Amino acid sequence: MAILPGNGAIDSQTYLSPTSHEHATEIFCVRACTHADALDLVAVGGENHVEVIQRDPKSLAPSFKVIASFHIGCSVNAISWSPQTVSPAVSEKWFLKLVVAGSDDVLRLLTKSSLDGDDYDTIEGNVTPFGGGLSGHHGRINDVCFCLAETYHNNVASIGNDVLILWNLNPINASEAENEYDDDDDEGGDTEEEVENDLNFSMSVGSIDQSQLTSPSKGTSRSKSAATRQHSKDQTPAFHPTAYPITFPHPLHTVTAHPKSANQFVASDSRGTVFVVNWTELGQENAGTRRHRVVELTDPRALTDGLTGVKGAWSGGASWKPNDVNLIGATYGNRWSVWDMRKLQGGKPVASGEGHAQGGSRFRWCPTDPHLFAVSTESPLNGALMKVYHTSYPNAPRTYPILPRPHRVRDFDWLGEVGPEDTVRAWMAVAVGRKLFFLAGGDPLPANLA
């Protein structure tokens, strides 16, 4: 294992930062912020809480400190950064906003701002659960993603089992909610039939008005029990996200968005198919059950193997290229594939290659170098390692071992910035056990950085 010298200097023959971040528990999820006002932030999810760490702007190699902590109470499956996030390094009026998916099948909105106090290093963040029970997922939530278009910053997509749910996080006015609950209490509460009708309204795809995607409906709030209503009265402001589901034939693995595509999400299932979903067509009349699926992209070999049972459990980690809205990549089994929306070819990939022999888990495009992408595996057979690919020679990846077996890579993500000297083109954060390692992918590092 090549580790950088302890004095912080970067050697041309090494690729790991001399500093790593150690979490209190095993790390299950890591997500770097790639939004313009918070490129120095990374979220780390463990067994019971989420940390937000900030990069030291003076350090040549990545070095981080904790600036926020959120108690979740269960392990973290997925994290997504809101485009509204502003780093303390950018403004005195900083603001942190994330959505995380827990292993208890509940989503949580995490927020923290400069209004919470001056000493942001020690203040616990605010955690608001939603998306559990009848109005949300009924099984494991595999991924979550904010809509990146400016008009829809409060819309979030979450996936799990065979459903994608679009959430509107705009909370209804607290006084409005209180008056509504008071009116319901005066009427003696909802009957079982009324509750069922309200629930069916809030979860119906065919009756969605597109305007509701930016303003919550009253349907979900009316289907609460008297005890839940009293609890909601004590919350200020009230928080009642609305949920709009889209069903799929197979379990979904990842969901992602693009800042240049306001009306679409990309979702990948576990059997070799990537879907481009146009969620703004949900409210159109006569849209049909499949109208929202603009394109279905397939890896023929992965699809065939999945259907014939050649392989057991398949995973499909997909990624939308940040600087090119037409390119989508994914890993299925021991292969990776890239699709070009300008050359659909019946949904077949324009490029594919060998990934990890034990099966890939994550595919991620690099936001700071348009030529790079990386694929990870959760298998411990060859230890914890990463494969980084260059689009000019995709069949000759560079392999970066981090720790020997039985260690394995739980998750990874590319950092949103390259560093103070602008000479290291790409860094990634790799979660192995309780540690977050920082690895320089791509071309060898120049020796004059020391």
Side-chain angles (χ1 to χ4, degrees), residues 23 25 41-53 66-76 79-81 85 94-100 108-113 116 120-128:
H23 196 67
T25 64
L41 302 182
V42 176
V44 183
E47 291 182 359
N48 50 48
H49 71 285
V50 173
E51 287 181 337
V52 173
I53 57 178
V66 179
I67 64 170
S69 179
F70 303 89
H71 181 73
I72 305 300
C74 63
S75 59
V76 178
I79 301 173
S80 180
W81 283 96
T85 301
W94 53 271
F95 178 58
L96 308 180
K97 183 177 181 181
L98 312 90
V99 165
V100 303
R108 291 168 175 85
L109 176 65
L110 313 182
T111 57
K112 188 178 179 186
S113 72
D116 295 334
Y120 59 81
D121 290 320
T122 58
I123 297 177
E124 186 80 11
N126 304 308
V127 180
T128 307

Side-chain angles (χ1 to χ4, degrees), residues 170-179 216 237-238 240:
N170 273 339
I172 59 178
N173 184 274
S175 61
E176 205 176 299
E178 185 173 352
N179 291 335
H240 305 286

